[in-house]
Each structure stands twice: as structure tokens, then as C-alpha cells.
Amino acid sequence: MTASIIDGKAFALGLRERIATHVAAFEQAAGRVPGLAVVLVGEDPASAVYVRSKHKATVAAGMASFEHKLPADTPQTDLLALIDRLNADPAVDGILVQLPLPAHIDERAVTTRIDPDKDVDGFHPVNAGRLATGLDGFVPCTPLGCLMLLKDQLGDLAGRDAVVIGRSNIVGKPMAQLLLGESCTVTIAHSKTRDLASVVRRADIVVAAVGRPAMVKGEWLKPGATVIDVGINRTDAGLVGDVDFAGAMQVAGAMTPVPGGVGPMTIAVLLRNTLVSACRREGVAVDEAAL
């Protein structure tokens, strides 16, 4: 048996097309387009690439893109003042401060300064609390994209056994909350988990988000399991995920590739969150479940 490939690139393209249609309808209703502000501090090469691709995708969806590029030595007070201005700007529906930040800036102070209702990255503690308690808020883009791929592949997730490997605030914890919200039985595994292989082997759904190349082996998997590989690791052999792709393909039922799996979903969901924010702020009806 060879696993089927979960094509995140194709799914993300469809999502972006739906978003563009909704953006046009929003513009007619509100008299403006949704706006996303992206702030980049410093010249980190990977961050600069991400910001460029976000700008391009935002414009392609018919939204306004507001880019703010600040020098690496920008004082924290200046960055916080910029966030305050963006919070107050009615043309801005989403605010994203690209991470990582230079060492002299407190990441938590920046994250918590963003208005939770413009926090389209879903990192604000208020949005984390909303997710944990089942209230409407913004969910981090990567785990929400993973959930979309899982539901497209499997349909109803209720009752399935899910293991999330990784406990970060950006992927692991919100992923577990989302799966719990779909009535999965959820285990969060991590670096201190004893006999990780046996924990993974009982799972119908495995989400790997640890940042260690090919750590999850094919023989760890339950035959027919659905595997979502969030890892993007640069190695001498090129980009690889957290799952041993060749080995897992012989055991899993379906699996995301790296690249071309989860990655394209992250930016598509960022655009979705920005559109949803705009609709909520302007009182424009949108079927969030259809996005």
C-alpha cells in the first residue's frame, strides 16, 4: 500500500479563489477592501521571503497590503507605537508582525499589543483563550490550515484518535484544541514523552510539528493513518519534513508532502482570517464555515 498525497497546494489555491470572490462582495457591501498590515523588523532573509509572498498573495486576493519595514535597531517603543497606529487605523483589518524579532525586542510585549480583533495570526492570549473556551476568535494560520486539510480528507473527525507531536503556542497547542473541538481524542506528545513510537502507533491522525528532520518513522505509524507533516527543515538533501516521507508513504493512508503540503495553507488561511476580520468589523455577513 502506498499512501495518497494530500495536495495542500491545490487546496490552498481553491481557498484563495473563494476568498477573492468574497473580497469582491465585501468591497461592494463596505465600500472598501480588507486591509492587511505586515511589519518586518530587520533583514532576516527567510522573514523577508515570507513577507514578500504574503504581500503578493494579499494583492492577488484583491486586498490592500500595508508593508512596514523597520531597521533591525528599531527601539521597542517605536514598534509598539506603530502597532498602536495600526490598531486605530480603520483601513487595517489584520496586523501581522513577522517573527522572529531582534533580540532587544520582547516578543510577548509586541504580540499582546496587537488588538485581538485584528490579530489575524491568532497569537494574542485573548485569542488563545477564545479557542480554548470555544468562543469565536482568530486561530493561528498553520493549525487551522491543517484542520481544513484533515476535514477535506476524512470528513467527520469525531471519535478519531489524534496525536499532535509538538507543544508550541503557534502549532501544537492550538492544533490540539482544534482537534478537541472536532471531538477527537487528543494526545499531545513532545520531547519528554516516553516511548513516543507506541504513542504515535495508536493514532488515526498524526500531526508532526517538532522541527526535527524525518524524526517520525514509518514503522511508528498505524497502518492507514492520516499524517500531517508541519515540519520544514533545510538539510543538505533539500527541504524535508518531520516525518520520514519514504517510510511513512508505505504505511500511512494519506499524507502531506514537504514542500507542497501545509506550507501553502498558512498564507491562504492568513488571507481568510483577514477577510473574516473585515467582515466582523464592518458587520458584513460571511459564511465563515465556507471559507
Side-chain angles (χ1 to χ4, degrees):
M1 181 184 80
T2 301
S4 59
I5 295 289
I6 299 173
D7 190 343
K9 194 172 181 181
F11 189 98
L13 181 60
L15 176 57
R16 283 163 67 162
E17 288 171 351
R18 294 195 298 278
I19 289 165
T21 301
H22 281 83
V23 166
F26 172 86
E27 184 177 11
Q28 280 197 319
R32 68 175 183 89
V33 296
L36 174 64
V38 178
V39 181
L40 175 64
V41 185
E43 301 289 336
D44 180 75
S47 292
V49 170
Y50 291 143
V51 167
R52 274 199 303 275
S53 53
K54 285 167 185 171
H55 168 76
K56 190 175 174 183
T58 304
V59 172
M63 299 186 190
S65 174
F66 307 107
E67 285 188 280
H68 297 269
K69 295 180 179 177
L70 308 178
D73 60 356
T74 297
Q76 179 171 304
T77 51
D78 289 5
L79 176 57
L80 295 178
L82 171 60
I83 292 171
D84 289 343
R85 291 196 297 276
L86 296 173
N87 282 338
D89 188 341
V92 174
D93 300 293
I95 302 169
L96 183 153
V97 179
Q98 185 66 46
L99 303 178
L101 290 164
H104 69 281
I105 295 177
D106 179 357
E107 192 174 293
R108 183 167 294 183
V110 171
T111 301
T112 55
R113 193 65 161 250
I114 297 171
D115 179 348
D117 293 330
K118 292 189 176 186
D119 168 40
V120 288
D121 251 343
F123 295 163
H124 196 289
V126 166
N127 281 320
R130 287 169 174 168
L131 175 60
T133 54
L135 298 175
D136 283 337
F138 289 110
V139 178
C141 301
T142 299
L144 184 52
C146 293
L147 183 70
M148 290 178 180
L149 293 177
L150 282 168
K151 290 174 78 171
D152 183 63
Q153 180 71 30
L154 298 172
D156 184 15
L157 304 183
R160 295 179 190 266
D161 202 326
V163 170
V164 179
I165 311 172
R167 52 180 165 176
S168 73
N169 292 331
I170 294 173
V171 180
K173 290 176 186 174
M175 187 75 245
Q177 295 283 1
L178 287 170
L179 289 166
L180 201 56
E182 297 294 327
S183 299
C184 291
T185 300
V186 183
T187 301
I188 303 179
H190 45 76
S191 59
K192 300 290 192 292
T193 299
R194 293 178 182 172
D195 195 3
L196 180 59
S198 68
V199 172
V200 172
R201 198 169 289 117
R202 68 169 184 257
D204 305 307
I205 295 167
V206 177
V207 181
V210 285
R212 290 176 58 187
M215 187 190 88
V216 179
K217 307 304 179 190
E219 58 266 26
W220 292 12
L221 300 173
K222 178 181 182 178
T226 301
V227 181
I228 304 292
D229 191 348
V230 182
I232 300 178
N233 306 289
R234 287 175 172 79
T235 70
D236 292 341
L239 283 182
V240 299
D242 291 346
V243 180
D244 173 17
F245 186 77
M249 283 291 286
Q250 302 307 310
V251 184
M255 182 174 173
T256 58
V258 177
V262 173
M265 291 298 296
T266 300
I267 291 180
V269 175
L270 174 67
L271 300 178
R272 176 225 179 255
N273 284 354
T274 303
L275 170 63
V276 168
S277 173
C279 291
R280 289 176 182 174
R281 295 180 65 243
E282 295 287 356
V284 174
V286 64
D287 182 3
E288 295 180 22
L291 288 173

